[in-house]
Structure formats: C-alpha cells, structure tokens
Amino acid sequence: MKNELWLIWIAPVSRRRYKIGILYKEDNLYKFRYVTPELSEAVKDGFNYFPGFKDLTIVYESDSLFMNVMTRLPNVTRPDYLEILNYYNLEKDSDDFEILRATRGRTLTDNFEFVSAFDPSKIEFDVAGTSHSKDINKCKEYLEVNKKLYLEPERDNPNDKYAIKIIFKENDKVFHLGYVPGYYSKELLEELDKGILYSAMIQSLNLESAFNDENITAKVKLILDV
C-alpha cells in the first residue's frame, strides 16, 4: 500500500471518479498499468488515455518517476516551493513519490489525480458529490475543521450500489454534505457492514481552492477500529 498510488479520472460531465490505473514501486522500478473494470466504464464515459501512457494494455516501467508524472509536481524553482512542502506536511528531503502522494499531482488543465491506495489504518479523502446534496448551501455556515461526520450507506443509489453518504448534525438537524469518493466506497462499505467503529471529521476546509469540487473542498480524516 505504501508504494502504490491509484490514478483517478474525473469525468467532465458526470463528475464520476474512475479508478483507471495503478502507479507503484516494485523491484527498484516505477511501474504503471491500467486496471479494469472501471477502465472500460471510463472509456464509455469519454476517457482516452493518461498523457504519456497511451497504450492501455502494457505495463510501463522506469528507473525513476515517469517524466509525464514528474511534470505534475510543484516546480522546485518556485519561490514558494518550501511553503508548498510545508502546507502538505512534507520535508525538504521528501522524495518524488511522497510529494506526489501528498499533492495528488493535480493540475488546473485536466481531470486526473493520484490518490493513496485504500488502507484501513489511514484513510483521507476529499468529500465528493457535493452537487448531489440539496443541503450544500445550508452546510457551509456550519462547516469547520474537526466537525464530526457520520457515514450512511445509501443502498438504493441508482448510480453506485456502494455509495456512502457523508452527513453531520447541527441543532438537532441532519445535513447531507456529500459522498465518500467512489474509489474507496466499496472497500469502506465492507468494513462498515462488519459493524466496525469509526471516527470521521473534517481535517481541513478550503472554500477558495482552484480545485473546488463543485461547491467545496473538505478533506476528511477517517479512523477505523481495525
């Protein structure tokens, strides 16, 4: 898990997040390959290929982090480079893979990001699907760091049978904030169905980010009693 990142593609229209590839380190090599079944679904939704990885069938290998991935990292010549590292809780000697894991390699020009592989011992993610929440405008006035959150399986969701709603309570009212990203929902639902105890809260909140997903950017930290 530590040496594996998932490549996620966000469909421009549906905003669905597809897990389409895996970037990992093995035998002192960086490797990348596309993965099914979501790759096939993503292609139907308009996906072509990740720049630099045009062949959907092979395993790419490199002695160092692929250049087409490296270009997605903060430029070391930026005058605010150290501030960027500090913002993401990185060190000056953090390696490229660690920086990619923290920043997720997002850019303003496309809909790709790299996320940590699902690890029940440490789960962090941005709230997804806020555009599907009727409460979103009401939510904003109550949102704050360390706000306690609850996870509620939505088994009748027509688009995702593994959908998990993220809700919070305020003044005896329940507000729907959004959803757990689809790339984690299946594994997380399996844990919740075991009746496992958890703690979920907003780790950080940014309403001004250029990467706002529909309405807000709220990063959730989730701890499972595993």
Side-chain angles (χ1 to χ4, degrees):
M1 295 294 185
K2 183 178 180 181
N3 292 323
E4 179 181 309
L5 297 176
W6 294 351
L7 175 60
I8 307 300
W9 176 68
I10 307 173
V13 177
S14 69
R15 304 304 296 170
R16 177 178 171 182
R17 289 165 167 78
Y18 294 93
K19 175 188 171 184
I20 58 170
I22 297 178
L23 174 68
Y24 55 106
K25 290 196 283 188
E26 183 180 73
D27 300 327
N28 295 318
L29 291 174
Y30 287 90
K31 299 182 180 182
F32 175 84
R33 60 182 173 86
Y34 289 101
V35 293
T36 57
E38 292 189 41
L39 175 62
S40 300
E41 299 171 17
V43 170
K44 294 177 182 178
D45 207 359
F47 172 73
N48 291 313
Y49 58 87
F50 181 80
F53 297 142
K54 193 170 184 178
D55 192 325
L56 305 183
T57 64
I58 68 173
V59 177
Y60 292 85
E61 296 184 353
S62 175
D63 293 329
S64 57
L65 187 60
F66 300 97
M67 185 55 63
N68 56 322
V69 177
M70 280 285 295
T71 57
R72 308 179 73 86
L73 300 182
N75 193 319
V76 296
T77 64
R78 291 182 53 156
D80 60 346
Y81 182 70
L82 292 180
E83 282 73 18
I84 293 174
L85 295 182
N86 203 6
Y87 175 82
Y88 286 104
N89 198 30
L90 294 165
E91 304 296 335
K92 181 65 171 63
D93 59 352
S94 295
D95 65 28
D96 294 334
F97 205 78
E98 291 173 324
I99 296 173
L100 179 63
R101 183 191 303 277
T103 64
R104 290 184 284 176
R106 296 186 295 182
T107 74
L108 294 173
T109 57
D110 61 34
N111 294 322
F112 296 102
E113 63 180 346
F114 291 87
V115 303
S116 296
F118 183 81
D119 180 356
S121 67
K122 182 179 181 181
I123 307 174
E124 297 176 351
F125 56 82
D126 284 351
V127 176
T130 57
S131 64
H132 299 292
S133 168
K134 297 179 180 179
D135 300 329
I136 192 61
N137 290 324
K138 299 177 184 177
C139 285
K140 292 180 179 180
E141 63 179 296
Y142 300 117
L143 293 177
E144 59 185 5
V145 173
N146 294 330
K147 169 71 75 175
K148 186 176 181 178
L149 304 172
Y150 300 88
L151 306 179
E152 182 180 287
E154 190 178 62
R155 302 185 191 277
D156 59 350
N157 187 302
N159 300 312
D160 182 5
K161 62 181 179 181
Y162 304 112
I164 302 174
K165 295 172 64 174
I166 299 175
I167 63 175
F168 69 89
K169 301 174 183 179
E170 189 74 32
N171 299 326
D172 297 322
K173 294 182 180 180
V174 176
F175 295 91
H176 177 202
L177 178 57
Y179 289 87
V180 172
Y183 49 81
Y184 285 158
S185 58
K186 182 177 184 294
E187 289 89 346
L188 182 53
L189 185 59
E190 291 174 353
E191 298 294 336
L192 295 178
D193 282 345
K194 298 175 185 176
I196 199 166
L197 298 177
Y198 69 86
S199 171
M201 60 180 58
I202 294 179
Q203 185 179 48
S204 62
L205 185 66
N206 190 343
L207 304 181
E208 304 297 331
S209 170
F211 293 106
N212 276 2
D213 182 11
E214 295 123 352
N215 287 285
I216 64 169
T217 296
K219 186 174 182 179
V220 176
K221 182 177 182 181
L222 175 63
I223 298 176
L224 301 178
D225 186 18
V226 294

